Amino acid sequence: MHRTAAESCNYGWDIAPKPLCEPYFWPFQTLIQAACFDLWELGLRERFTITFDEERISGLRAKKWYPVLKEVMRQRAPEQSTILPSDTYWGIDDHAMPLQAADLYVG
């Protein structure tokens, strides 16, 4: 039976290489993509920014794949890809107000 890398990770079959099986990889990629589509549907046509909580190891690996996500988006959704962030930002809760607010909201 064929499984995608994400499904393999979820089921514990470690057939995919890092970073595909790391817990930060798929949420990082899909959150950016989902934000792009949602903002586009709301009528936003300016590039947006996104800040992630600092994750030293797996976060950096996920970030290295961001150019791939941008290229895939450019190929599959050329209009929407124009508002993708030029880069992603990482911050520490103590220095990034959006991260502080998110932490308070979650718990």
Side-chain angles (χ1 to χ4, degrees):
M1 179 158 79
H2 174 73
R3 297 196 187 280
T4 65
E7 289 171 327
S8 297
C9 294
N10 290 336
Y11 292 108
W13 295 302
D14 245 353
I15 63 167
K18 288 184 179 182
L20 300 178
C21 275
E22 292 179 328
Y24 221 76
F25 182 79
W26 291 110
F28 173 81
Q29 306 298 338
T30 56
L31 181 65
I32 295 170
Q33 191 174 23
C36 180
F37 285 124
D38 285 351
L39 293 171
W40 186 268
E41 286 182 16
L42 290 172
L44 180 75
R45 298 299 184 264
E46 296 177 17
R47 194 172 298 275
F48 66 95
T49 59
I50 192 163
T51 303
F52 290 92
D53 200 354
E54 184 178 57
E55 176 63 37
R56 291 193 178 129
I57 297 171
S58 57
L60 292 175
R61 288 186 190 136
K63 181 179 175 145
K64 287 180 183 178
W65 281 75
Y66 181 60
V68 174
L69 170 70
K70 285 175 62 175
E71 180 58 25
V72 168
M73 286 286 292
R74 191 182 69 76
Q75 298 283 328
R76 301 188 81 196
E79 289 183 332
Q80 292 86 345
S81 71
T82 61
I83 67 169
L84 282 170
S86 55
D87 199 3
T88 56
Y89 300 97
W90 301 80
I92 301 171
D93 296 356
D94 298 339
H95 300 105
M97 293 292 282
L99 295 177
Q100 290 177 10
D103 283 349
L104 289 173
Y105 181 76
V106 172

